[in-house]
Structure formats: C-alpha cells, structure tokens
Amino acid sequence: MIWHYFPIGMRFPVADFSEATRRACWRIALSAAYASDASGTGLYEACESFDPISQSPVYTCIVCYVGIKQSRAAGKAMHALDRLMARLCIHEPLVQANYLEGFGPYPILAEIDAQGKLIPNEQGAAFLPTEPIEPMQKNDGWTLLIAPDSMKGVCDAERLTRVLGTAAADHGLRVRRMPIADGGEGSVRALIVGTQGRYETVRCEDLNGAVVNMTVGVIPGPIAVIEAADAVGFARRTEQTPPIEKRTTCGVGMLIKKTLDLGYRKIWIGLGGSLTSDLGLGALAELGVRFLDADDESVEPCPENLERIAAVERDGLDPRLANTELTLLCDVNAPLLGRDGALNVFGPQKGVTPEQITAWETAFERLSKRLGGDPNEPGSGAAGGLGFGLKSIGGTLRFGSDLILDRIGLTFAIREADFVITGEGSFDAQSRQFRKAPAAVLERLSDGDRPGCLLVGKLGVDEDALLKGQPKLKGVVKCPIGEEPYDLTLTDAFERAILPMIGKDVANRS
C-alpha cells in the first residue's frame, strides 16, 4: 500500500455505523469518486464522528489522492454531482486535508489502481461494494431550490432539505439546499450554512441547572449568533425542568457572557423557541443587573418573584455591553403586554395558568416602566418578554426572517432557481402575522418571479385563498407530521405531488 497525501472526505449524516450503513455510504462515495479521476487513490474511513451543526452522527468516506492537482480536480467534479451533494451534510459536505484531523490513524480499506480497479484489503472487503460501480452522472435538469424551516418536533430543516434534495437529484434535477429560520430554533445552523460560517462551543447552564455544551455560530463580520432556544428551549426540557414560575432566562445571559468572553462585539440573538416567561430578568441578572425588594434585598429573578421586585439596579451591568451591538432576532412581532402580548398569546403554550397571566401581566407592566422602553413595540414580547428585557440594555429588535433570509442570500437564490420548495410544520394565520420564514419566502417568490410550492405538516388557513393571494404559489403539499419513518413520507410527498407540479410548470413554460 502506498501513502496518500491529499484526502477528500465525504460526510454522510447517518443513524448508525452498522455494516449495512457503511456499505451504502461507500456505494455512493465510490460512484462519485469514479466520476472524477479516481485512479491511483486510497480509501480510508473516519467512523463514529459527530457533526455539532446538524447534531447528528457522521460517517466519513475518505478518498486520498497522490497529487494536489488531482485532488482539486476531483473536489470540483464532486461538487457538481447533485446526486452526491444532496445526500451529504450541508455544513462542510466535502472536507479537505486540513479538516481531517490526525489523518494518519484512519484505517486504509482499499486502493484504486492505475486502471481504476478496486483492490480492498481484508478490513475493507467486509463492507466495500463488490459489484461494479457506475460513475455518478452530473444532473442537467432544472434547478430546484429547497428552502424550508423545520417540521418542529419531527424533522429539522437540514434533514428536510437532504431528503427532498436526494429525491429531486435522483430524478435528474439540479438541487440547491438552503435551510431557513426566523430567529427561532435552527437560526444558528441556517446562518452558518448560508454564509459558510463556523461554530464555537461554550459551556453554560441550561433550564435545569446542568452545565452543557452550547453553540456560538460565527458568520462574516465577524458576527456571533446564538439562540435562546439552545439555552432555555424545548430541546432542554427534561423531567427535571422546573415549573414555569421558577424557569428563568439565566442560561441566555450566560451564553451572552461566554460570547463576550470569546471577544465578539457584534452578537445576534435568536429569541424564538424559549420555554420561559420571565421578562428576560434572568438574562439581565447574569449580565450584572440586580433586582431588589422593598428592603433593598436581592430578589431571585424568576416569575414567582415578580411582584416582590421594587427596584432595578444597573451599576453592575457588564461594561463590555457598552461597546457591543446586540441584535435581537424576533420570530414573532408580539408586543409585551395586552391581548396579543407575550403572556396572553404564548404563556399557555409554556404552562402559564390564567391566574398567573393576570398577575404577571400586572407585574410586567410595572417593571417595564422601571426597565425603560416601549412595551407596545413589535417583538418586545418575544420569548416571554426576553426581547423587551434585552432591549432595555441596548439591544435592537429586528424581524429574524428578514435579517436571516437577506444575510444568506435567499432572494438571489430564488432568482437563480427554476422552482422553489418552502414550508414548515404548521402554516397558519400566525405564520403571516408574525412574519415566519416560509411566509417571507412566499413573498419573495413574487418579487423574484419564480414559481414554488408550500410543504406543510398542517395547513391552518384556507388553501384557495392562500393560492389566490400568492400567484406564484403553485400548490400546497400536506405531509402529516407523526407518520414514521418520516423520510419515506417526505419522499412519497415529493414523488406524489411535488414532482408532477414541477413537470406541469416545465410544460407550461416550454
């Protein structure tokens, strides 16, 4: 066996590392390798790794090249293969030598000789495909842009784009995958993917007081991006999660402090997806704000103590915030108070009782005057009042969907596409009212003069009225949440409904 120096790794998101899974990955990887110049290369594997962006296990098939020119040419050829790229991780789907840490220890499985013949060793013979491998062909069909938000609780946006992209590529379509978000869960991932960003990991306390890893995304600027959902969201809920009256946003404050410790002074904070309703007082306390009772004693900033707080002291506020741009990405435009406010609309979803809503609403109104700001400003009610709390220390409220979609270049991507798929788990009146990401995509279809369809688990608006109001929307495809395996449900929806829709649009334009 000769030593190879210029590897390319193909990173597959997998459910397990069984022999059958590895064989399936290698069948795809070899087909892609043979589509480029694979002669004189070595095959290695990096098994049982983990992708912190997709939060999934990753199996990496490594093809090693003798020369850097051969490696670069192969990488270029592989990037053009939609049937390959649709199956890989979105974040760093193909990784070069400098990303494959400690390349030497990876086991070699086989070599491809100068004539292109696969010669496995004893280890590789156990699961490398033995049948002849056909070179993967480049797709020359129309370009399909897949830009959904998540099907919450069932399927994240990255998995949606991968499953739909695989089905589309297998039918000869060129595919571009672009997961989207609006300031809620998945915002960091969407921005990292869409801007070729990177991530850093920090240790903070979650809702339950446990010290866990949390993600800081870094996008060009440099701008650090964090999520309230990562610190105090539904993904952190366990049997040990305290009741709503004791939950705080302390974890968000810790995450902001850790981001400041990393040296970033432009921070975007996704507010959506929290399990808290504490007016952001927990986050403010972690950043140095003190809350005092009538006797000037410190009060723990949690909802059950709201009525005890008589004064707010800012002297200890982290001085680094004075030179920091805090941009607050709202996934809703709810005000802090009133019928459409944080407690009345979203409180019941988090376990707030009617009695608590009445009492806490009064406390929110009183404390908003002490914190300073306009409780009627759209977005101030996001994340149980976290938007208002962070705005009181210099944050700027922005609609997350607009900021994220603009930053990842969605409008340009729509103009470059021939057909667009967007969607989310439940599309209803709130999707438009609160400027959710798929609703923003539908608006941009008309601006970009491109057709598309909406994929939903549940549709909560009148379909005929929706289609009439969105002339570029060619149809709504319902893919009920809860049917497993969901990958098969999505693939069936694509072939049953979306592919004929694309074909009809192609025919009408021909």
Side-chain angles (χ1 to χ4, degrees), residues 33 87 188 225 272 301 320 357 378 381 485 504:
R87 288 166 168 80
V188 169
V225 189
R320 296 174 295 182
I357 289 174
K504 182 178 179 179

Side-chain angles (χ1 to χ4, degrees), residues 134-417:
E134 291 293 324
M136 192 174 288
Q137 300 299 310
K138 181 178 178 181
N139 290 0
D140 294 318
W142 277 27
T143 298
L144 176 66
L145 173 63
I146 307 174
D149 203 342
S150 65
M151 299 278 187
K152 285 186 173 55
V154 177
C155 188
D156 61 42
E158 190 276 338
R159 179 179 165 198
L160 268 172
T161 63
R162 175 164 43 82
V163 175
L164 294 173
T166 297
D170 285 344
H171 283 279
L173 297 173
R174 291 194 302 267
V175 175
R176 182 169 184 183
R177 298 155 62 199
M178 185 175 279
I180 61 174
D182 49 26
E185 187 175 0
S187 296
V188 169
R189 191 183 310 176
L191 283 162
I192 288 178
V193 169
T195 66
Q196 306 298 308
R198 58 184 175 85
Y199 69 92
E200 298 198 35
T201 301
V202 296
R203 301 278 287 171
C204 301
E205 285 188 13
D206 66 7
L207 269 177
N208 313 307
V211 179
V212 297
N213 288 332
M214 295 185 189
T215 299
V216 177
V218 182
I219 65 175
I223 299 169
V225 189
I226 59 178
E227 293 176 11
D230 190 21
V232 295
F234 285 85
R236 300 294 181 188
R237 186 174 221 161
T238 69
E239 292 182 359
Q240 289 73 45
T241 299
I244 184 64
E245 62 267 17
K246 294 183 180 294
R247 290 181 215 151
T248 78
T249 50
C250 287
V252 178
M254 292 183 190
L255 189 51
I256 294 172
K257 282 176 64 176
K258 293 284 187 177
T259 306
L260 292 170
D261 292 344
L262 292 173
Y264 298 106
R265 296 297 179 265
K266 291 183 179 180
I267 304 175
W268 289 6
I269 305 169
L271 299 180
S274 81
L275 270 174
T276 54
S277 295
D278 72 340
L279 191 56
L281 302 190
L284 297 184
E286 287 296 327
L287 293 169
V289 178
R290 292 183 66 213
F291 300 97
L292 308 174
D293 63 15
D295 298 321
D296 288 337
E297 297 292 331
S298 292
V299 178
E300 182 184 356
C302 61
E304 68 177 357
N305 291 335
L306 288 172
E307 295 179 10
R308 292 180 53 205
I309 298 174
V312 178
E313 186 180 279
R314 302 171 183 264
D315 293 348
L317 185 64
D318 194 316
R320 296 174 295 182
L321 291 170
N323 299 312
T324 301
E325 292 181 18
L326 289 182
T327 302
L328 313 175
L329 310 184
C330 306
D331 66 329
V332 298
N333 61 0
L336 178 65
L337 305 172
R339 184 182 61 183
D340 299 324
L343 292 168
N344 282 291
V345 176
F346 305 105
Q349 302 172 12
K350 303 174 184 182
V352 185
T353 67
E355 295 76 15
Q356 288 171 330
I357 289 174
T358 300
W360 297 357
E361 178 91 357
T362 300
F364 273 22
E365 184 174 11
R366 178 174 56 83
L367 290 172
S368 67
K369 296 174 182 177
R370 296 190 178 279
L371 290 171
D374 180 6
N376 295 314
E377 182 175 359
S380 61
L386 178 62
F388 185 90
L390 291 178
K391 187 176 187 303
S392 74
I393 57 169
T396 302
L397 293 166
R398 295 283 301 274
F399 286 115
S401 56
D402 291 339
L403 201 58
I404 292 172
L405 298 187
D406 287 344
R407 181 54 63 116
I408 66 177
L410 182 84
T411 298
F412 178 80
I414 288 174
R415 290 172 181 163
E416 291 291 299

